[in-house]
Amino acid sequence: PSTSFFPSPSCSRSKSHFYFIALPALFKQELQDTEAEEGGTVTLRCELTKPKAPVEWKKGDVTLYPGLKYELRQQGCAAELVIHDLEVEDS
């Protein structure tokens, strides 16, 4: 269902060629603004159109990686970023 098949212009009766074009993952539900208190924890969530699509979380140009500060979760089409020990700089 998530792959489209288009015959190649070079198809013939004796041999068939197919291009496999994977459709991109799009946002089904985008991130929403969330308020939280300094020192607390916040969860940012989005939903994609494809399950298990690769997700990269960024703050500006900086890629976020899992650790004590950030927790990255993904199940099916849902992706979550949990930010612990919030600081003003996390805005």
Side-chain angles (χ1 to χ4, degrees):
S2 62
T3 304
S4 298
F5 299 95
F6 295 96
S8 164
S10 63
C11 284
S12 66
R13 291 179 192 262
S14 62
K15 190 158 116 180
S16 295
H17 299 276
F18 292 96
Y19 291 112
F20 298 94
I21 300 174
L23 299 175
L26 303 172
F27 286 110
K28 190 173 181 180
Q29 176 190 0
E30 294 191 18
L31 291 174
Q32 303 295 314
D33 288 342
T34 305
E35 290 187 21
E37 291 187 21
E38 191 172 352
T41 299
V42 69
T43 301
L44 302 175
R45 184 179 192 278
C46 65
E47 191 173 345
L48 306 168
T49 55
K50 288 175 69 173
K52 298 182 183 176
V55 172
E56 184 176 72
W57 291 92
K58 291 187 166 204
K59 182 179 183 222
D61 292 334
V62 178
T63 301
L64 306 179
Y65 295 99
L68 295 174
K69 179 81 172 171
Y70 304 112
E71 182 180 346
L72 285 59
R73 299 185 230 174
Q74 192 167 355
Q75 184 173 7
C77 292
E80 293 182 338
L81 168 66
V82 181
I83 306 173
H84 299 281
D85 194 22
L86 289 168
E87 301 171 287
V88 175
E89 294 81 23
D90 294 320
S91 295

